[in-house]
Amino acid sequence: MKFKSISKTLLTIKESLYRLFARSNQESQYLLIYKTNEDKTKSYIINKPNLFDSFGNKEEKRDNVGFKAYCYGRDSVRSFRHDRIVSITKL
């Protein structure tokens, strides 16, 4: 049980650091046009994607299917899959 508590605390710290970095680095904003899982096209303003903070998908047996980035509209860190990106443009 202690491991879950520590893991949750580390995740909270990581998200707080993402927010702090994104706010201090607002000149690196990108417009991301994205196709959602429900096949809807949405747009997000995000900070510069950190491709070193990628994530995988065990079901697909792939190590790198997307990246995480701070989303200014939601004021939180979001995950985006590479195969659902329609376009990305630096603002």
Side-chain angles (χ1 to χ4, degrees), residues 43-75:
S43 61
Y44 302 93
I45 296 178
I46 62 171
N47 71 323
K48 183 176 181 179
N50 181 359
L51 300 180
F52 292 104
D53 194 13
S54 61
F55 60 90
N57 185 308
K58 289 182 182 180
E59 289 178 13
E60 296 176 11
K61 296 180 182 166
R62 295 179 56 202
D63 292 333
N64 185 350
V65 295
F67 62 88
K68 294 180 181 181
Y70 177 81
C71 176
Y72 292 95
R74 295 244 179 126
D75 192 28

Side-chain angles (χ1 to χ4, degrees), residues 7-83:
S7 180
K8 189 173 182 179
T9 301
L10 289 174
L11 184 61
T12 302
I13 291 170
K14 187 175 181 180
E15 290 221 1
S16 296
L17 289 173
Y18 259 113
R19 287 180 182 159
L20 180 62
F21 177 75
R23 287 183 185 143
S24 68
N25 199 16
Q26 286 192 0
E27 70 275 358
S28 296
Q29 291 184 350
Y30 291 77
L31 174 63
L32 178 73
I33 308 298
Y34 191 76
K35 192 77 91 167
T36 67
N37 192 30
E38 295 83 28
D39 207 33
K40 295 179 182 176
T41 303
K42 297 205 172 193
S43 61
Y44 302 93
I45 296 178
I46 62 171
N47 71 323
K48 183 176 181 179
N50 181 359
L51 300 180
F52 292 104
D53 194 13
S54 61
F55 60 90
N57 185 308
K58 289 182 182 180
E59 289 178 13
E60 296 176 11
K61 296 180 182 166
R62 295 179 56 202
D63 292 333
N64 185 350
V65 295
F67 62 88
K68 294 180 181 181
Y70 177 81
C71 176
Y72 292 95
R74 295 244 179 126
D75 192 28
S76 66
V77 177
R78 305 281 313 272
S79 298
F80 300 97
R81 288 181 56 106
H82 298 302
D83 59 352

